[in-house]
Amino acid sequence: MAETSAATGLTVQQWDDKFFMECLTENRFSGEMGTSQNAIIQVKEDLSKKKGDTIHFALVNKLTGNGVTDGATLEGNEESLDSRSFALSINERAHGVRSNRWENQISAIDLRKAAKMALKDWSMENTRDQIIAALGSINGVAYGTASEAQKDAWLVDNADRVLFGAAKSNNSSNDHSASLANIDNTNDKLTPGAISLMKRMAATASPKIRPVTDTHAKNGRKYYTLYVPSLIFRDIANDSTIVQAQREVSLSAENSRLFKGGDLLWDGVIIKEIEDIAVLTGVGAAGIDAAPVYFCGAQAVGYGVAERWKSAEETFDYGRKKGCAIMEMGGFAKMTFGTNSSSDTGDLKDHGLVTGYFAAVADA
């Protein structure tokens, strides 16, 4: 009797579709990724249907007008929507594993299946690293390679959304390194007060940084999300005010798409530990270590996709060796907009986040 088997191409396509969805739902930033302008990390797949290497995002700012009341005339009193565009360039990401038929013969596991799982882990770690790099970038330049002049110019344009330690006064005339040197290990650890200060900065920045609405929650609450490295998470998690506040976190917040196990909640801000945010060695007062934190609202980061993750297999050496690979065409970038009156890309300002720097001294 003839038996019907699934077409190989169909099986691969199903694996690829599942793999792409898992990359979106299982990575550390999954709760903040979405296709709408309400997401912290906005995903767009425009180039999956056309050629090109640039995806454009529409940046939408919060309305600030009062509207009209009690039958007053609305016509002529409308507010113009303050929106700009952000262009995100994409590139290719790919990695592969190769094994030979003898290794497959003597191995107790299916090496090709194991390779796919290892490649999946690699892709999610690479995605995590790209998001962290985007959050810390200086106008598209990686923080670690940006010059002091570039950091100073960025700080000039973003002074209303950058905080050094516990007080705005730690900003030394928009000199980035001098401002970092004001951070000490006594007054400038991350505290509930500093988190609330960043929230006020987000709400009063020009333009304002929009919080994200949790559309999965019945009350439709609005939240900001704060990403912090482990040493800073250690300090805020041990703060007595935060410890008490966590006892009062409601069940609805715990069931939120945005709030996950291990997260902290303070003043409408969800605090998430991201272990791989790098510490800045010796930049603080008396040479202490400091580290950045990223206080995010809507459209902080863009993720442009031209081609979703897909797998491929190939044979070599008369069929004796087999390779497995995954690949994607896309890119991550921090959303920015120009504030120069004559250019949409001049005097760039970060669109959806406040960047903070706090003491991050290692365990004794």
Side-chain angles (χ1 to χ4, degrees), residues 183-247:
I183 297 172
D184 66 51
N185 197 37
T186 301
N187 301 309
D188 297 311
K189 294 179 179 179
L190 182 65
T191 63
I195 295 172
S196 295
L197 174 56
M198 285 189 284
K199 181 178 179 181
R200 292 193 297 273
M201 290 174 68
T204 57
S206 179
K208 298 178 180 180
I209 296 171
R210 293 184 294 119
V212 169
T213 301
D214 187 357
T215 56
H216 290 72
K218 292 182 179 179
N219 56 13
R221 285 195 62 185
K222 297 181 183 297
Y223 296 97
Y224 291 100
T225 294
L226 178 63
Y227 300 117
V228 305
S230 295
L231 292 172
I232 290 181
F233 191 87
R234 170 204 63 191
D235 293 337
I236 192 66
N238 288 325
D239 184 278
S240 59
T241 301
I242 290 292
V243 171
Q244 177 61 37
Q246 300 325 291
R247 300 188 182 121

Side-chain angles (χ1 to χ4, degrees), residues 321-334:
K321 299 177 181 178
K322 292 188 177 181
C324 176
I326 57 170
M327 58 202 74
E328 179 237 35
M329 290 185 185
F332 292 89
K334 176 164 61 176

Side-chain angles (χ1 to χ4, degrees), residues 20-273:
F20 180 77
M21 296 308 298
E22 288 175 346
C23 281
L24 291 184
T25 59
E26 294 181 12
N27 76 76
R28 188 64 183 85
F29 295 92
S30 62
E32 296 79 68
M33 299 178 77
T35 57
S36 78
Q37 295 168 343
N38 182 56
I40 289 175
I41 303 172
Q42 186 180 2
V43 183
K44 289 195 73 173
E45 294 188 77
D46 288 8
L47 292 183
S48 63
K49 300 177 182 179
K50 58 185 178 182
K51 300 292 184 182
D53 63 357
T54 304
I55 294 179
H56 292 271
F57 290 78
L59 304 182
V60 180
N61 294 322
K62 188 174 182 179
L63 294 174
T64 59
N66 295 322
V68 299
T69 59
D70 301 332
T73 302
L74 178 59
E75 184 177 355
N77 292 303
E78 303 91 346
E79 181 179 353
S80 61
L81 188 63
D82 186 10
S83 62
R84 296 173 173 84
S85 65
F86 173 74
L88 188 153
S89 297
I90 64 164
N91 52 29
E92 183 184 29
R93 290 189 284 169
H95 201 6
V97 174
R98 187 187 297 198
S99 61
N100 64 50
R101 63 195 300 265
W102 176 245
E103 290 171 338
N104 280 296
Q105 173 64 31
I106 64 175
S107 175
I109 63 173
D110 186 325
L111 291 181
R112 278 182 289 172
K113 287 184 179 179
K116 283 189 175 182
M117 294 307 299
L119 289 169
K120 174 185 171 183
D121 289 342
W122 171 85
S123 72
M124 288 195 286
E125 290 176 0
N126 184 265
T127 295
R128 173 205 64 204
D129 292 345
Q130 289 208 20
I131 293 172
I132 293 172
L135 287 167
S137 63
I138 303 296
N139 292 338
V141 179
Y143 183 90
T145 59
S147 67
E148 187 63 25
Q150 289 172 320
K151 292 174 183 176
D152 289 348
W154 167 78
L155 183 54
V156 168
D157 293 330
N158 289 275
D160 64 339
R161 56 196 71 207
V162 179
L163 177 66
F164 295 91
K168 290 183 178 182
S169 58
N170 283 334
N171 182 333
S172 293
S173 302
N174 293 325
D175 183 312
H176 189 270
S177 60
S179 301
L180 286 174
N182 290 328
I183 297 172
D184 66 51
N185 197 37
T186 301
N187 301 309
D188 297 311
K189 294 179 179 179
L190 182 65
T191 63
I195 295 172
S196 295
L197 174 56
M198 285 189 284
K199 181 178 179 181
R200 292 193 297 273
M201 290 174 68
T204 57
S206 179
K208 298 178 180 180
I209 296 171
R210 293 184 294 119
V212 169
T213 301
D214 187 357
T215 56
H216 290 72
K218 292 182 179 179
N219 56 13
R221 285 195 62 185
K222 297 181 183 297
Y223 296 97
Y224 291 100
T225 294
L226 178 63
Y227 300 117
V228 305
S230 295
L231 292 172
I232 290 181
F233 191 87
R234 170 204 63 191
D235 293 337
I236 192 66
N238 288 325
D239 184 278
S240 59
T241 301
I242 290 292
V243 171
Q244 177 61 37
Q246 300 325 291
R247 300 188 182 121
E248 301 168 1
V249 173
S250 67
L251 182 62
S252 61
E254 291 180 349
N255 291 332
S256 164
R257 175 181 65 89
L258 303 175
F259 189 93
K260 302 298 181 185
D263 294 345
L264 304 174
L265 180 63
W266 172 256
D267 193 16
V269 181
I270 299 172
I271 308 159
K272 294 179 179 287
E273 179 181 11

